[in-house]
Amino acid sequence: PIPSPFDAYLTARGIKTLAVRMDRHCDNAEAIAAHLDASDHVATVLYPGLESHPGHEVAAKQMTRFGGMVSVRFHSEEAARAFCLNTRLICLAESLGGVESLLEHPATMTHQSAAGSQLEVPRDLVRISVGIEDIDDLLADVDAALAAVASL
């Protein structure tokens, strides 16, 4: 298929600010990953930018930055769901990857059909696509959601 002239125009316009958006995307994800990693309410943060990540050394050799996707495992499914339901700025969505911060609970959203198979996603897992919003606003939203997890 051939893109329409308008789609080509939007692509050409958007590519001009791609590097700036990606820098902010990565900066924010790195900050949120570190913040979540320091929380007692989180079991594991899966983000290659963290030195504790098993693939960190390989990722550091292959990548300039570590991207904007952060996966988090909580101590229970209940905690993962509470986190998802108590963010306000970070919206619950099934399609991730925009300039806005989005999250999902894959076990009950995008990967529900894999339940009971070898492809089953852990029920305590939350995926966060970190956007380009102000980092202080994002961290405040994460903290509010973690407070809900703490109250369980």
Side-chain angles (χ1 to χ4, degrees):
I2 299 171
S4 72
F6 186 66
D7 288 340
Y9 160 75
L10 291 175
T11 301
R13 184 180 74 169
I15 205 79
K16 293 175 186 175
T17 60
L18 180 61
V20 174
R21 288 182 281 125
M22 287 306 299
D23 281 344
R24 180 69 169 265
H25 189 50
C26 292
D27 289 345
N28 285 353
E30 290 166 10
I32 286 178
H35 191 72
L36 288 166
D37 197 42
S39 173
D40 293 336
H41 305 298
V42 170
T44 306
V45 177
L46 303 167
Y47 183 71
L50 293 174
E51 290 185 13
S52 60
H53 188 276
H56 175 74
E57 288 183 32
V58 172
K61 289 177 186 176
Q62 294 178 344
M63 305 164 76
T64 303
R65 299 292 300 272
F66 300 102
M69 295 298 298
V70 178
S71 293
V72 184
R73 293 197 63 186
F74 288 88
H75 296 290
S76 67
E77 178 181 2
E78 183 182 24
R81 286 173 167 255
F83 184 85
C84 289
L85 295 174
N86 284 283
T87 58
R88 296 294 174 252
L89 178 60
I90 305 171
C91 296
L92 195 61
E94 289 191 359
S95 178
L96 307 178
V99 295
E100 64 280 343
S101 294
L102 304 168
L103 61 75
E104 71 166 338
H105 183 245
T108 58
M109 295 172 69
T110 56
H111 293 71
Q112 192 171 14
S113 64
S117 76
Q118 291 180 335
L119 302 174
E120 185 171 16
V121 176
R123 300 195 71 79
D124 58 6
L125 179 75
V126 173
R127 293 182 65 219
I128 306 170
S129 174
V130 183
I132 63 172
E133 301 91 346
D134 180 80
I135 189 58
D136 292 332
D137 293 341
L138 289 171
L139 291 173
D141 200 34
V142 166
D143 282 341
L146 288 173
V149 170
S151 70
L152 294 178

